Amino acid sequence: MGSMTEPPARRLLLVHAHPDDESINNGATMARYAAEGALVTLVTCTLGERGEVIPAELQHLTGPALGEYRLGELSAAMRELGVQDFRLLGGPGRYLDSGMMGLADNDDPACFWRADVDEAAARLVEVILEVRPQVLVTYDENGGYGHPDHIQAHRVAMRAADLAAEAGWTIPKIYWNRVPRSLGEQAFERLAEVLPGLPFDKPGVLDDVPGVVADERITTEIDGTAYAAAKAAAMAAHATQVTVAEPYFVLSNDLAQPVFTTEYYELVRGERALGARETDLFAGTEATS
């Protein structure tokens, strides 16, 4: 963990809610840019202490013990992706997992959902001013699928971008994680055909996937097919939360989903070329040092 005195020319910052979110949403993108020599910095907002544990032999892990274990899983996942700079917002354990929306966990004053947005954003601003990323990747205003920590990660990331601009570093491009609806529909159709040969019993549905939008909302696609194995390995490293049978996986709900190795984004701040989709998150930022 940490930064370098002479930063690489391209610097990518990702803000995620829990360990495993980064590998599921952006694993191929992270592996590709790390392999190409960009500085890839991950900020994870909680340790996921309230996650549901899949393997029976690990189900004794709860609370801080689970958080500590998941930090180990995150470290292993980052090794698979070739990412060296990963951090917990405010340090490990500063913000607790808030649990699913509507649970009593949401009321814990120590949970991320209850954090003061400006205060949490100020901690992220420190990272932004150190790293000076040209690209920030996070979730949309619904957190992709409505989880309190994902919504809060969105709020904190966007607020931090504003505060960092006031403090001297404007992030040229900000993206939200997306999946184009047509691609998702095709992937689930294929899943239904191959399910009998998988170690999973039930298919998920497209509504289980965060960030699905109409195709025309997609501005950018990153071809990570060369890093499919790295993404699958990183996801599998999060064994408390994810079971992988490439190119499919399940979470604790046991519903099969596809592993997407081309990853999609919506540019929400910054300049994009007119016409075709971008194929590089850093397109147009070369002059920004």
Side-chain angles (χ1 to χ4, degrees):
M1 301 190 188
S3 63
M4 311 167 195
T5 51
E6 287 294 324
R10 296 188 300 170
R11 302 175 300 277
L12 167 63
L13 173 63
L14 303 100
V15 177
H16 276 289
H18 316 103
D20 80 11
D21 292 325
E22 81 297 322
S23 297
I24 295 169
N25 285 278
N26 309 114
T29 299
M30 294 171 72
R32 173 178 159 176
Y33 282 113
E36 292 176 357
L39 175 61
V40 179
T41 299
L42 169 68
V43 175
T44 305
C45 297
T46 82
L47 286 171
E49 299 91 343
R50 292 188 165 113
E52 295 182 24
V53 176
I54 296 174
E57 65 273 17
L58 296 176
Q59 286 176 359
H60 64 282
L61 293 171
T62 59
L66 176 56
E68 184 176 345
Y69 193 90
R70 292 188 70 179
L71 180 55
E73 292 182 331
L74 180 62
S75 299
M78 293 305 96
R79 285 194 296 273
E80 298 290 354
L81 298 180
V83 171
Q84 297 179 359
D85 187 12
F86 56 101
R87 314 161 186 224
L88 274 296
L89 185 65
R94 176 63 184 83
Y95 298 108
L96 296 182
D97 185 342
S98 307
M100 299 300 286
M101 188 69 86
L103 299 180
D105 298 334
N106 303 165
D107 299 325
D108 185 337
C111 80
F112 189 48
W113 181 238
R114 293 292 169 188
D116 179 273
V117 170
D118 279 4
E119 179 185 301
R123 298 176 191 276
L124 184 57
V125 169
E126 294 175 11
V127 180
I128 293 172
L129 295 180
E130 175 195 339
V131 173
R132 296 189 308 156
Q134 295 104 335
V135 176
L136 167 64
V137 170
T138 191
Y139 315 106
D140 65 16
E141 66 278 3
N142 188 45
Y145 73 113
H147 190 293
D149 287 330
H150 287 243
I151 294 170
Q152 188 77 323
H154 159 85
R155 293 172 178 168
V156 168
M158 300 303 288
R159 180 63 176 144
D162 291 340
L163 294 173
E166 293 172 11
W169 183 257
T170 299
I171 301 173
K173 302 182 84 174
I174 300 179
Y175 292 94
W176 293 344
N177 291 304
R178 292 300 191 198
V179 173
R181 184 166 294 280
S182 68
L183 175 96
E185 289 171 348
Q186 293 164 13
F188 277 92
E189 287 172 8
R190 284 196 301 275
L191 169 59
E193 295 169 3
V194 302
L195 188 66
L198 296 177
F200 310 131
D201 296 328
K202 298 178 183 176
V205 294
L206 188 55
D207 288 344
D208 296 332
V209 177
V212 176
V213 290
D215 291 31
E216 54 266 26
R217 294 277 296 274
I218 306 298
T219 61
T220 311
E221 60 180 78
I222 302 302
D223 183 353
T225 49
Y227 302 95
K231 174 171 181 168
M235 289 173 60
H238 292 287
T240 61
Q241 308 299 305
V242 183
T243 304
V244 179
E246 204 175 351
Y248 299 98
F249 73 101
V250 296
L251 301 171
S252 60
N253 59 12
D254 284 331
L255 301 177
Q257 297 185 41
V259 176
F260 294 111
T261 53
T262 295
E263 294 168 344
Y264 297 84
Y265 301 90
E266 179 181 1
L267 180 67
V268 295
R269 288 192 196 173
E271 304 265 337
R272 82 176 267 218
L274 296 175
R277 288 179 183 169
E278 298 174 326
T279 56
D280 179 9
L281 295 175
F282 291 91
T285 69
E286 287 73 15
T288 309
S289 60

